[in-house]
Amino acid sequence: DAGVIQSPRHEVTEMGQEVTLRCKPISGHDYLFWYRQTMMRGLELLIYFNNNVPIDDSGMPEDRFSAKMPNASFSTLKIQPSEPRDSAVYFCASGERGGGDTQYFGPGTRLTVL
Amino acid sequence: QKEVEQNSGPLSVPEGAIASLNCTYSDRGSQSFFWYRQYSGKSPELIMFIYSNGDKEDGRFTAQLNKASQYVSLLIRDSQPSDSATYLCAVNLRPGNQGGKLIFGQGTELSVKP
C-alpha cells in the first residue's frame, strides 16, 4: 500500500498567488481530512469529507480557502489569494470505514508564502 | 479551556526509564482517544488508540483512559533514544455516525537521553 500521497512536498510562492495542494488517499478509505500545522496553533483540522462529500468545513479559516473531492481518489485544497500567514505544513489524512476514527497521514506539503 | 490539553514539555528521561505522557480533554461525551508520534519534519503516525476505561498495552506502549477524570495517558517502557519525538494526543469529539473529527493537543516533546 502506497499510503497517502501529497503533492507538491514543498511550495514557495509569492503573496497573492494561487496555491493548489493535492492529495490521493489510501484506496478504500471513506474519509479524507485536511489539516494545517504551525508552531503557534499546532495541528488544526480544516475540513473533512466522507464519501467525497464535505462534512465539516468549520476549520477553514476564510473564503480564500476551498477544498474539493471530485472522486474517491483525489482531493485538492486551494488558497486564492495566498498570504504570508498561510505559511504552514498542510497534511492530508485518510480514514478507514467504520467511522473514520483511525487516520493515516500523508507526508505533508510545506508551504511558504513570501 | 482548550478542548485537549497536554504539557508541552520537553520531557526528558534517561534511556531505559518509563516515560509518562498525559492529556486531559474537556468534552465528557468523547468516546475515542488516540496517540500519535511525530518526528521532527515528519507527519504524525498513529501508535495507539483506546476506547474503554482502563489500560491497553501494545509492546512497550500502554495507553490508559479514565473517562470519569477525563484524562488519557501514554506510558513508554524501556525508553529508547529513537522514541524521542513529539507525542500528540487526539480526541474524537463526534464519534459514531458523525465521523472522525479529531481534536489534537499541542503535543508533548519527549527526549530520551542515552
Side-chain angles (χ1 to χ4, degrees):
Chain A
D1 194 332
V4 176
I5 299 172
Q6 290 187 247
S7 65
R9 296 291 305 276
H10 302 273
E11 177 82 23
V12 180
T13 190
E14 293 188 348
M15 183 173 61
Q17 296 298 306
E18 177 179 296
V19 175
T20 299
L21 311 181
R22 297 173 176 80
C23 176
K24 176 179 170 57
I26 294 172
S27 177
H29 283 188
D30 287 345
Y31 290 81
L32 184 138
F33 307 83
W34 282 102
Y35 291 90
R36 176 173 68 176
Q37 188 173 39
T38 62
M39 288 294 293
M40 288 296 296
R41 300 177 66 87
L43 191 61
E44 305 174 279
L45 177 68
L46 300 177
I47 185 171
Y48 79 95
F49 296 83
N50 179 22
N51 291 323
N52 313 335
V53 176
I55 302 300
D56 187 334
D57 65 355
S58 60
M60 297 286 262
E62 48 198 275
D63 291 345
R64 297 185 297 107
F65 286 70
S66 62
K68 294 182 179 180
M69 191 165 187
N71 57 61
S73 60
F74 183 67
S75 177
T76 59
L77 177 67
K78 186 174 294 187
I79 308 172
Q80 166 63 19
S82 58
E83 297 183 2
R85 60 192 168 121
D86 302 330
S87 297
V89 179
Y90 290 81
F91 289 106
C92 175
S94 68
E96 297 173 307
R97 297 177 184 276
D101 285 357
T102 305
Q103 300 181 20
Y104 299 87
F105 283 74
T109 296
R110 182 173 295 277
L111 173 64
T112 302
V113 183
L114 302 175
Chain B
Q1 182 186 7
K2 293 182 180 178
E3 292 174 298
V4 180
E5 293 202 58
Q6 298 179 251
N7 291 328
S8 61
L11 173 66
S12 183
V13 300
E15 183 175 356
I18 296 175
S20 178
L21 306 163
N22 300 312
C23 172
T24 58
Y25 58 94
S26 60
D27 188 337
R28 192 171 285 277
S30 300
Q31 298 291 327
S32 44
F33 308 86
F34 303 82
W35 284 100
Y36 284 79
R37 177 177 63 199
Q38 186 174 25
Y39 291 113
S40 180
K42 302 295 185 181
S43 57
E45 172 193 14
L46 178 68
I47 54 173
M48 291 284 290
F49 61 87
I50 187 167
Y51 300 148
S52 303
N53 275 329
D55 295 359
K56 179 181 179 182
E57 188 173 316
D58 184 0
R60 296 186 296 111
F61 298 97
T62 299
Q64 299 175 317
L65 175 61
N66 184 323
K67 290 185 178 181
S69 300
Q70 295 176 240
Y71 86 79
V72 58
S73 62
L74 179 70
L75 301 178
I76 306 175
R77 291 182 300 281
D78 188 23
S79 296
Q80 301 296 309
S82 59
D83 295 325
S84 298
T86 295
Y87 289 80
L88 301 167
C89 172
V91 176
N92 188 334
L93 298 185
R94 291 183 176 83
N97 62 7
Q98 294 199 47
K101 178 173 178 172
L102 293 185
I103 303 299
F104 283 82
Q106 285 285 94
T108 297
E109 182 183 349
L110 172 67
S111 178
V112 181
K113 303 295 187 184

